[in-house]
Amino acid sequence: MDQGKFRDHELQAARGIATAETHVVHVFPHPIWDSGDRIQLHVWEDPEARPDYFVEFAAPLDTAFRAGLGRVLAGIAAGSDAAVRQSAEQALLVEFTGFWHLCDRIEEGFMKRMLVVTGWRYTDPDGTEHTEGFPAD
């Protein structure tokens, strides 16, 4: 997968000097923002305290997201029963590894600081564990 590098040279340079962090989160039950070569999700770590933020999958990881976790989220969203859908969303925990980056290209102030994802792990509703993203450094 592009030898584990982002296509955006500025983002790849930021990755080179950033400290990677791992966060276990839930995904908010509203749309996935897909701008073609970047995808953003709204996530939260603690439902009680609600510290929420955005994560970003930048090319080439946008393709990996669409093929894996994106399909799982789309399957959950397609459920007709709202209570079942919400329960499935609550049950899906995703472990993201990435680095914090300020995204000046984004107009909305609340979305400027994002965790740019380099890898992720989750267990799908069928109980299968998946590890996706760049190879571990």
Side-chain angles (χ1 to χ4, degrees):
M1 180 178 302
D2 292 339
Q3 287 70 40
K5 293 185 178 181
F6 290 111
R7 289 190 194 131
D8 180 315
H9 299 291
E10 181 181 319
L11 201 55
Q12 184 60 35
R15 178 183 178 203
I17 60 173
T19 301
E21 297 181 10
T22 299
H23 298 265
V24 177
V25 301
H26 296 275
V27 177
F28 269 104
H30 51 63
I32 296 167
W33 290 274
D34 189 340
S35 60
D37 64 344
R38 297 175 191 272
I39 297 169
Q40 290 92 26
L41 297 176
H42 196 180
V43 302
W44 81 95
E45 291 184 34
D46 178 359
E48 300 299 319
R50 287 277 211 230
D52 62 306
Y53 51 90
F54 288 82
V55 297
E56 179 173 89
F57 301 84
L61 296 182
D62 60 320
T63 302
F65 170 83
R66 285 186 197 95
L69 181 58
R71 286 183 185 221
V72 171
L73 293 171
I76 291 171
S80 59
D81 184 286
V84 171
R85 219 175 31 246
Q86 185 175 21
S87 176
E89 290 162 348
Q90 293 282 335
L92 180 66
L93 284 172
V94 183
E95 179 183 284
F96 289 120
T97 299
F99 61 95
W100 292 105
H101 184 66
L102 290 177
C103 303
D104 292 333
R105 64 186 154 62
I106 295 178
E107 294 177 20
E108 295 86 356
F110 66 94
M111 286 180 70
K112 285 193 180 287
R113 183 173 182 259
M114 288 196 197
L115 184 73
V116 177
V117 177
T118 56
W120 59 100
R121 188 171 59 171
Y122 62 96
T123 301
D124 68 23
D126 295 329
T128 304
E129 187 172 299
H130 300 269
T131 300
E132 301 168 348
F134 291 141
D137 294 329

